[in-house]
Amino acid sequence: MVAAVPSIRSLQDVHDLEASTPLPLDRTPCTYALLQRSAEASPDATALSFFLTLDEHDRPHRWSYAEWLARITQAAHLFRRLGIGRHDVVVFVLPNLPETHWTIWGGETAGVVMAINPMLEPATMRHLMATTRPRLVVTLAPMPGQDLWEKVCTALEGVDSIAAVLAVSPGRYLLNDAQRAALAPSAAVPAVLRGLPVIDFHDALLREDGNALTFGLPGLDDVASYFCTGGTTGMPKIAVRTHRTEVANALQLSVALATTLRSPDATVFSGLPLFHVNAQIITGLAIWASGAHVLLGTPLGYRTPGLIARFWELVARHRLVSFSAVPTVYAALLQSPRDKLDTSSLRFGLCGAAPMPRELFQRFTSLTGVNILEGYGLTECGCVSTVNPPDGEARIGSIGLRLPWQEVRIARLGGDGAYLRDAEADEVGALLVRGPNVFKGYLDPRNNEKAWVDRPTEGGRTELWFDTGDLGRVDADGYFWLSGRTRELIIRAGHNIDPQSIEEALCAHPAVALAAAIGRPDAHAGEVPVAYVQLKPGASATEEALTAFAHSRISERAAVPKAIHILDALPTTAVGKLFKPALVEREILDVVRKEATAAAVTLTALSATQEPRYGWEVRWAASGARASLRDRLAAYTFAHYEHEPATAPPTHPLKANFE
């Protein structure tokens, strides 16, 4: 732990801290050791509170740091007794529960933990399990209104590495006796699932020793977790993260936010899903590294019906000092009532995972008085690499200063991805990261081929840097600014268009809540920009009016959208990030349909998928002049394959036709 950390207001403060205080990894060689240090320092302070239902938020279940560490210790002993060694994998498919945290940190102590998004289809779950070959699966027991048990049952078919399934029954957290009684018969844990023994997680946990760990701790370079990354397109890549990755990033973040978090009275709300690094590290491990208190709000977090509407009530009742969310959550919170509620405890909200529209940023801070700290990070770099300092200058649109004890750099790369030179101040280039929080690499070695950049140093040596795939710049004061994803750039006849420039312009319209700009395939220009918008509740605007507004606000003629579409809600991932592949799919399918009409062809099947390594592929079947359609589709950059009607594949599971 780092004590008496000065406030970070500038890049010079970061330099001064690094020069005076080394990152204390030698005293915290794993995530368990980090939690243990906080428990030893403040055993009676509250580590976590949890409410199962929104109506019970004022009577949460609580665990002190000593009790919290004991549960994690019991989980580690349970997993080790069930055969989990240092290199064995525990998969969990769970919503946000205390047991999810016990599984994460206890599982990392005994072996390797992998999170699977409960909203994935069984086929994708099966693929991930077959790839990582887990020995144990922890999931939700059968419950009314939940199909997760059935999905996991289907996903387990053919995965021969699994020895047992552990079932979690959250009904014990209900405060209402009648609700518990109604749930009990349905929550009975079956003895067998697809021939595998099923173990009641709670019964087994309570039989384990919660005192001192009975086996050796993992080391900094031992693997802690497998994490899916880039899972919004096709099958995700799997990042291999060490204990060094997670401990370093938790300590870096706790120091950067120390002036707010270094108090046992500081309470931070956790509402993002625990299968994502944001919730695990930002509103989990980093908070406990600071000795503060996490409020975990229902299994569904921000997706709980009514939670957004009552969010400011949670702030007032629990005296929240901070929370972490994505832009879609901030946009929704502006519609929630705040009158007559004391929300003065709230210091700031953290925003990452997606760029915050400037207009939304300004509107939120002016109406609520709550500062938004924009940050940036990736699963591959622990979670957070840069953040705006809570006590420093607010620079709207910037992703902030780099965290202490890691390096972030903007570099110019060649067409082959090789390092050319460091970028000048405010010059756009590739955003690279290097430090103890950077992951080990991807599980599939093929994914590592273009992930790293060799940067020469003085003396003829080279340093290995992770290429984030993002474009950005750094100003003279050390603040970083994103300029777009290299793979999201809209390339119109060789002209690079940053989609964020379109989105920022549209979000300045008084009726627009959110905007997403993408490239539509074009036979002549390769791509042309189009935009999708979501209006504010009760607001109205026509596509024609928005197009005229875009013309007036976008100075770059090539960047003016060729079309603007209004949707009731923009598609998002389970974390709340805008899901642009669904919009791209819609445009691709629309292009193919229009070309089919022009070719006098009747489509009998059509699907589009984005392959992680090869890009978009269209599969179609038709009756009529099929050769004419083939010729027309040849002018586009996406791959296309014709199938006979009888063998044509079903529509792609993105289900993004919006028809």
Side-chain angles (χ1 to χ4, degrees):
M1 223 76 61
V2 180
V5 176
S7 172
I8 294 177
R9 298 173 179 269
S10 67
L11 183 60
Q12 185 59 51
D13 292 331
V14 175
H15 290 317
D16 292 345
L17 175 63
E18 292 170 331
S20 63
T21 309
L23 183 65
L25 291 177
D26 57 330
R27 289 176 285 159
T28 48
C30 62
T31 54
Y32 183 91
L34 188 61
L35 294 164
Q36 187 177 38
R37 284 182 62 82
S38 292
E40 291 173 348
S42 304
D44 298 326
T46 304
L48 181 128
S49 297
F50 169 72
F51 54 92
L52 185 68
T53 68
L54 188 57
D55 288 339
E56 297 174 338
H57 80 82
D58 58 344
R59 294 164 290 162
H61 299 264
R62 297 181 183 274
W63 290 263
S64 69
Y65 268 89
E67 293 167 334
W68 192 240
L69 183 67
R71 291 292 181 267
I72 292 168
T73 304
Q74 288 175 308
H77 285 150
L78 172 60
F79 293 138
R80 184 54 62 95
R81 181 173 62 79
L82 293 175
I84 295 297
R86 185 65 59 218
H87 306 293
D88 294 312
V89 178
V90 178
V91 154
F92 70 87
V93 194
L94 289 168
N96 286 8
L97 294 166
E99 290 83 353
T100 311
H101 273 300
W102 302 341
T103 298
I104 294 167
W105 311 116
E108 288 189 0
T109 306
V112 180
V113 172
M114 179 175 178
I116 291 183
N117 179 352
M119 286 176 277
L120 291 178
E121 293 301 316
T124 305
M125 291 184 185
R126 183 185 303 117
H127 170 84
L128 294 173
M129 291 184 198
T131 300
T132 56
R133 299 191 59 74
R135 184 171 178 84
L136 297 176
V137 174
V138 186
T139 192
L140 206 62
M143 291 184 62
Q146 294 280 346
D147 64 350
L148 187 54
W149 181 261
E150 290 73 19
K151 288 172 67 174
V152 171
C153 178
T154 302
L156 294 179
E157 183 178 1
V159 184
D160 60 7
S161 64
I162 299 171
V165 175
L166 288 91
V168 175
S169 302
R172 68 190 61 245
Y173 296 116
L174 286 168
L175 300 179
N176 186 298
D177 291 338
Q179 289 178 320
R180 282 200 302 270
L183 185 64
S186 301
V189 177
V192 177
L193 179 64
R194 284 204 173 273
L196 296 171
V198 175
I199 300 168
D200 186 299
F201 183 88
H202 298 92
D203 288 349
L205 188 80
L206 294 177
R207 291 197 294 268
E208 301 294 336
D209 183 5
N211 296 311
L213 206 62
T214 59
F215 57 87
L217 289 173
L220 285 168
D221 295 319
D222 283 321
V223 176
S225 60
Y226 291 156
F227 251 106
C228 294
T229 179
T232 57
T233 59
M235 289 298 178
K237 294 180 289 187
I238 298 174
V240 180
R241 294 151 51 95
T242 64
H243 283 271
R244 185 188 304 273
T245 301
E246 297 185 355
V247 171
N249 204 223
L251 288 171
Q252 290 163 338
L253 187 62
S254 69
V255 166
L257 305 178
T259 54
T260 296
L261 299 181
R262 289 299 171 93
S263 166
D265 298 325
T267 299
V268 176
F269 182 70
S270 178
L272 292 171
L274 277 168
F275 62 76
H276 192 271
V277 290
N278 191 305
Q280 287 194 23
I281 302 297
I282 296 180
T283 53
L285 194 61
I287 306 303
W288 294 318
S290 303
H293 169 214
V294 175
L295 176 66
L296 185 64
T298 89
L300 296 180
Y302 290 120
R303 290 178 174 264
T304 304
L307 188 141
I308 293 293
R310 297 177 63 180
F311 179 80
W312 301 106
E313 177 186 333
L314 296 179
V315 173
R317 171 63 179 83
H318 300 280
R319 307 301 297 160
L320 300 180
V321 300
S322 179
F323 65 102
S324 182
V326 292
T328 49
V329 171
Y330 284 97
L333 287 177
L334 284 176
Q335 314 305 321
S336 302
R338 300 182 303 279
D339 296 342
K340 299 180 181 179
L341 291 172
D342 179 5
T343 60
S344 60
S345 62
L346 196 57
R347 288 284 312 280
F348 58 79
L350 289 163
C351 182
M356 168 73 78
R358 184 180 299 269
E359 180 70 16
L360 175 58
F361 187 111
Q362 294 174 325
R363 196 160 60 240
F364 188 91
T365 55
S366 65
L367 291 177
T368 67
V370 177
N371 193 20
I372 298 175
L373 303 184
E374 286 194 84
Y376 168 83
L378 303 96
T379 300
E380 292 92 336
C381 300
C383 183
V384 185
S385 290
T386 68
V387 70
N388 276 273
D391 303 308
E393 178 186 354
R395 301 197 179 187
I396 299 176
S398 169
I399 55 173
L401 303 170
R402 67 173 176 86
L403 295 187
W405 304 298
Q406 69 171 311
E407 298 176 83
V408 182
R409 187 177 296 274
I410 304 297
R412 300 290 294 180
L413 306 182
D416 58 354
Y419 174 88
L420 297 178
R421 61 176 175 82
D422 288 352
E424 302 291 339
D426 288 320
E427 182 183 14
V428 173
L431 195 154
L432 311 179
V433 182
R434 179 175 179 265
N437 53 300
V438 176
F439 75 144
K440 187 175 182 179
Y442 296 108
L443 191 62
D444 185 342
R446 294 173 297 180
N447 293 325
N448 291 313
E449 293 172 2
K450 296 183 178 180
W452 306 94
V453 172
D454 285 314
R455 178 180 176 273
T457 63
E458 295 180 5
R461 295 179 297 124
T462 59
E463 297 172 337
L464 199 62
W465 290 69
F466 177 67
D467 183 359
T468 66
D470 283 310
L471 299 175
R473 60 183 175 88
V474 58
D475 64 25
D477 297 321
Y479 280 77
F480 286 86
W481 307 74
L482 284 182
S483 302
R485 293 285 296 170
T486 54
R487 58 174 173 263
E488 282 185 0
L489 286 176
I490 302 167
I491 305 177
R492 180 175 184 173
H495 184 81
N496 290 346
I497 299 170
D498 180 4
Q500 190 173 349
S501 65
I502 302 172
E503 293 160 0
E504 291 283 0
L506 286 172
C507 283
H509 191 282
V512 173
L514 293 170
I518 60 169
R520 175 185 172 91
D522 186 83
H524 304 288
E527 287 181 311
V528 293
V530 297
Y532 288 80
V533 301
Q534 175 181 324
L535 302 181
K536 299 173 186 174
S540 63
T542 64
E543 294 176 355
E544 293 77 11
L546 292 175
T547 300
F549 185 82
H551 272 279
S552 69
R553 298 296 288 253
I554 300 174
S555 58
E556 187 179 11
R557 184 176 178 183
V560 176
K562 296 287 287 185
I564 297 177
H565 307 287
I566 300 173
L567 300 180
D568 291 339
L570 295 184
T572 60
T573 68
V575 184
K577 293 168 60 176
L578 290 176
F579 189 66
K580 286 189 176 182
L583 301 175
V584 175
E585 184 192 39
R586 170 181 169 143
E587 292 296 324
I588 291 174
L589 296 179
D590 185 66
V591 164
V592 176
R593 292 189 184 102
K594 288 185 175 177
E595 291 292 3
T597 299
V601 165
T602 301
L603 291 168
T604 56
L606 176 63
S607 67
T609 58
Q610 188 176 27
E611 297 299 327
R613 292 171 63 85
Y614 305 107
W616 284 95
E617 296 181 349
V618 171
R619 286 174 166 76
W620 59 276
S623 59
R626 303 201 307 273
S628 176
L629 180 56
R630 284 196 297 270
D631 291 342
R632 286 177 171 274
L633 295 181
Y636 295 89
T637 57
F638 54 74
H640 56 95
Y641 305 97
E642 181 183 2
H643 287 262
E644 293 299 324
T647 60
T651 301
H652 185 253
L654 281 178
K655 297 178 181 176
N657 297 338
F658 297 99
E659 293 183 339

